């Protein structure tokens, strides 16, 4: 690759991630606000769920994460502090959603971060909320850095496709570095199914393997096929940066999550729902439902507003 | 839309990416919500989890067999954690990542079962270990701790209490 083409690569991404040749429709705007609402409601739900769990169960820090390396988060464990923090996230989310205070989302993210590090201070590193956290960060930057609602929308979507694609591809790279090219060996899936069996027994007192798990337990080579698909889906995820590959790649990742659910009983609910929201042209569906006329008055010259 | 919008957006992405890389590089790959997503990256390695069993009220530290047994032979009855709103990952992390069962660490695990509630029967916490052996998964369990309603007993063998010691013992036995 020549020096000039390597310099132009990031610039060529800008129109792919943030550009839009077509005028903005009501569907675009409603879709964005629904996505924003989804991220905020899920963020608040995480914070309240963790808040009650912290209050009920946690009394010590086993593994400091994130800012807990620098701040003692044990104050969250008693006196309803975790629930007060959840209230704060909810309030700041509402202030941001109704555009009452531009720093609100970024401040909500800080409170969300503290809730996460307090909840997972016992050693578990959960990735179930990462995409929602990244979403709040994207919304926070959009609200602070741009005055135009249209640009906020374009930035948030482009930002999400960029970092989600990067995250899944990073997961594939981690596997190849951590284990090597033989990561998809079906015997590895046997091990994870065994682990999930113990976890499920621990949670519910009983475990019944499903059809897919039975298949892998019978012949681990089925597991090899499943892991190959998963690794492939993660490795190519960065292709969602380009518009022409976006929807198929996002749906491929959704398929991988469904595979994880059936093979290992692990459902990344927030991530899967967010990907479904990002993996289909819901703006066009909303346009159709609103019976908007894409060539008529519903079109807006949204680009008039300054970025 | 002017072209400055996408360019500004791209610059912001670059800044976020730099902060992302800096934070995960200096915090072992995790600084929520940033992560290198290393889950499932260590394939094939032995794993360690935990199960909790409810044992009869008359059970004492002396009456328990503290030795490692095949997983099918664990004592007592299941004590499902989900209905108690206890996350099994938290229990597993305590028994797999504790090198020294100092009083604070023991109390931290006990509080998962006793904070804002009381025990009605003794609970036996097992460390469960799975290893790949001849295309199957061999699973064994070692009692780590007995939570009686009013007291706590650790496995009398210091070597059996922690995963590191158990691994060393297993290696020595081979």
């Amino acid at each position: 690759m020549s020096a000039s083409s390597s310099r132009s690569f990031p610039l060529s991404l800008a129109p792919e991630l943030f550009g839009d040749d077509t005028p903005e429709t009501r569907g675009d705007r409603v879709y964005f606000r629904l996505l924003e609402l989804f991220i905020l409601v899920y963020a608040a739900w995480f914070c309240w769920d963790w808040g009650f769990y912290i209050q009920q169960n946690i009394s010590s820090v086993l593994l400091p994460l994130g800012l807990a390396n620098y701040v003692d988060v044990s104050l969250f464990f008693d006196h309803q502090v975790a629930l007060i923090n959840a209230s704060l996230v909810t309030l700041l989310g509402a202030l941001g959603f109704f555009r009452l205070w531009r720093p609100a989302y970024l401040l909500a993210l800080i409170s969300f971060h503290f809730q996460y590090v307090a909840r997972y201070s016992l050693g578990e590193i959960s990735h179930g909320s990462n995409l929602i956290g990244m979403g709040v960060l994207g919304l926070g930057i959009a609200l602070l850095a741009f005055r135009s609602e249209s640009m906020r929308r374009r930035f948030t979507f482009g930002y999400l496709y960029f970092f989600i694609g990067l995250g899944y591809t990073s997961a594939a790279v981690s596997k190849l570095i951590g284990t090597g090219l033989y990561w998809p060996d079906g015997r590895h899936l046997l091990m994870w199914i065994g682990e999930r069996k113990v976890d499920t027994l621990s949670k519910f007192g009983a475990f019944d393997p499903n059809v897919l798990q039975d298949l892998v337990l019978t012949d681990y080579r089925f597991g090899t096929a499943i892991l190959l698909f998963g690794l492939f889906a993660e490795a190519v995820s960065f292709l969602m940066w380009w518009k022409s590959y976006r929807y198929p790649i996002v749906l491929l990742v959704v398929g991988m999550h469904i595979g994880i659910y059936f093979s290992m009983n692990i459902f990344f609910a927030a991530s899967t729902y967010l990907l479904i929201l990002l993996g289909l042209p819901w703006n066009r569906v909303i346009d159709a439902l609103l019976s908007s006329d894409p060539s008529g008055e519903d079109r807006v010259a949204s680009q008039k507003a300054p970025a | 839309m002017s072209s400055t919008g996408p360019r500004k957006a791209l610059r912001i992405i670059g800044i976020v990416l730099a902060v992302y890389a800096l934070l995960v590089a200096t915090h072992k790959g995790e600084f929520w919500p940033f992560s290198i997503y290393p889950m499932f990256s260590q394939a094939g390695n032995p794993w360690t989890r935990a199960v909790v069993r409810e044992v009869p009220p008359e059970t004492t530290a002396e009456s328990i067999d503290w030795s490692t047994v095949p997983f099918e032979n664990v004592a007592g009855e299941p004590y499902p954690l989900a209905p108690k709103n206890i996350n099994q990952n938290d229990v597993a992390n305590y028994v797999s990542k504790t090198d020294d069962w100092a009083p604070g660490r023991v109390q931290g695990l006990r509080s998962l079962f006793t904070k804002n509630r009381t025990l009605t029967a003794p609970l036996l916490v097992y460390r469960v270990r799975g290893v790949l052996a001849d295309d199957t998964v061999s699973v064994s369990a070692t009692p780590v701790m007995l939570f009686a309603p009013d007291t706590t007993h650790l496995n009398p063998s210091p070597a059996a209490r922690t995963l590191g010691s158990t691994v060393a013992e297993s290696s020595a036995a081979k």
Side-chain angles (χ1 to χ4, degrees):
Chain A
M1 186 183 284
S2 70
S4 62
S5 63
S6 64
R7 271 199 303 272
S8 65
F9 171 71
L11 291 179
S12 73
L13 271 182
E16 293 288 341
L17 291 168
F18 311 110
D20 196 344
D21 298 333
T22 58
E24 190 175 63
T25 66
R26 286 173 66 192
D28 291 328
R29 297 194 301 277
V30 172
Y31 177 33
F32 174 53
R33 295 294 274 168
L34 288 176
L35 176 82
E36 191 175 352
L37 191 62
F38 170 84
I39 290 170
L40 295 176
V41 169
Y42 232 120
W45 184 85
F46 272 127
C47 288
W48 281 103
D49 187 46
W50 296 340
F52 285 113
Y53 191 87
I54 292 166
Q55 200 67 36
Q56 171 68 41
N57 296 303
I58 299 180
S59 58
S60 60
V61 177
L62 196 62
L63 177 72
L65 294 170
L67 289 174
N69 285 290
Y70 313 103
V71 178
D72 181 10
V73 296
S74 60
L75 68 97
F76 283 81
F77 300 156
D78 289 300
H79 308 301
Q80 317 290 332
V81 173
L83 298 178
I84 293 168
N85 194 41
S87 308
L88 190 61
V89 172
T90 309
L91 176 67
L92 289 168
L95 290 176
F97 186 77
F98 293 108
R99 305 294 186 254
L100 296 172
W101 197 35
R102 291 173 68 196
Y105 284 157
L106 288 181
L107 293 175
L109 182 73
I110 294 171
S111 287
F112 195 4
H113 176 94
F114 274 112
Q115 199 82 337
Y116 175 88
V117 298
R119 164 63 189 87
Y120 292 105
S121 58
L122 297 184
E124 165 75 353
I125 295 177
S126 165
H127 294 108
S129 59
N130 281 59
L131 294 193
I132 296 297
M134 288 300 290
V136 175
L137 176 60
L139 289 169
I141 294 170
L143 195 56
L144 206 56
F146 300 99
R147 291 188 178 278
S148 148
E149 275 300 315
S150 171
M151 197 53 221
R152 285 172 181 161
R153 174 180 68 80
R154 288 163 201 238
F155 172 81
T156 302
F157 277 102
Y159 160 98
L160 283 171
Y161 289 121
F162 181 83
F163 281 107
I164 290 174
L166 182 72
Y168 281 102
T169 299
S170 167
V173 172
S174 292
K175 291 175 175 66
L176 293 175
I177 292 173
T179 303
L181 287 174
Y182 56 92
W183 182 88
D185 186 329
R187 284 169 291 198
H188 299 157
L189 188 54
L190 277 184
M191 284 286 280
W192 287 317
I193 291 174
E195 189 176 357
R196 293 305 298 168
K197 174 184 172 181
V198 171
D199 273 349
T200 307
L201 283 167
S202 181
K203 279 172 79 173
F204 304 112
F207 172 78
D208 286 316
N210 60 37
V211 175
L212 196 63
Q213 289 165 335
D214 266 336
L215 209 58
V216 177
L217 292 171
T218 306
D219 186 339
Y220 73 81
R221 285 171 296 189
F222 286 108
T224 303
I226 292 168
L227 293 182
L228 269 173
F229 167 74
L231 186 63
F232 174 76
E234 284 188 339
V236 301
S237 292
F238 72 98
L239 293 175
M240 71 175 72
W241 296 351
W242 287 273
K243 288 176 190 170
S244 48
Y245 304 120
R246 188 160 294 158
Y247 291 146
I249 292 294
V250 175
L251 293 177
L252 190 69
V253 179
V254 171
M256 182 200 69
H257 274 294
I258 293 170
I260 292 173
Y261 174 64
F262 281 110
S263 58
M264 288 194 269
N265 297 75
I266 301 173
F267 185 48
F268 291 90
S271 305
T272 306
Y273 298 147
L274 180 59
L275 286 165
I276 291 171
L277 270 178
L278 293 171
L280 290 167
W282 294 107
N283 48 343
R284 301 293 164 250
V285 174
I286 295 165
D287 274 333
L289 287 174
L290 295 175
S291 303
S292 63
D293 174 6
S295 62
E297 61 184 11
D298 267 341
R299 291 188 172 256
V300 293
S302 56
Q303 293 88 343
K304 284 179 182 171
Chain B
M1 181 173 55
S2 69
S3 64
T4 56
R7 288 201 175 208
K8 180 179 177 183
L10 198 64
R11 273 202 308 277
I12 294 171
I13 292 285
I15 294 166
V16 175
L17 188 59
V19 173
Y20 192 136
L22 186 69
L23 287 174
V24 297
T26 53
H27 292 82
K28 298 177 182 172
E30 299 285 347
F31 195 98
W32 188 94
F34 306 135
S35 172
I36 59 167
Y37 298 102
M39 64 280 197
F40 304 120
S41 63
Q42 302 284 321
N45 288 351
W47 47 257
T48 302
R49 306 302 293 165
V51 292
V52 182
R53 306 286 288 186
E54 194 169 65
V55 291
E58 63 273 17
T59 304
T60 62
E62 292 73 28
S63 67
I64 287 178
D65 176 5
W66 291 96
S67 58
T68 299
V69 295
F71 183 58
E72 299 74 30
N73 298 345
V74 291
E77 297 297 319
Y79 182 81
L81 299 176
K84 308 287 191 300
N85 193 30
I86 300 169
N87 189 310
Q88 91 283 354
N89 287 329
D90 292 336
V91 183
N93 277 309
Y94 262 106
V95 302
S96 66
K97 293 178 180 166
T98 299
D99 296 324
D100 174 20
W101 282 106
R105 194 57 61 89
V106 173
Q107 184 54 36
L109 177 54
R110 184 180 170 93
S111 75
L112 277 179
F113 302 93
T114 57
K115 188 179 176 186
N116 301 325
R117 62 183 143 220
T118 53
L119 291 180
T120 54
L123 300 177
L124 188 56
V125 181
Y126 278 91
R127 184 177 65 249
V128 183
R129 188 164 167 79
V131 295
L132 194 60
D134 299 329
D135 297 347
T136 60
V137 183
S138 170
V139 185
S140 58
T142 307
V144 175
M145 207 170 290
L146 175 72
F147 290 132
D150 54 355
T151 185
T152 301
H153 300 280
L154 276 166
N155 188 317
S157 163
R161 292 172 193 166
T162 61
L163 177 63
S165 304
T166 308
V167 174
E169 275 188 332
S170 305
S171 302
K174 287 173 185 172

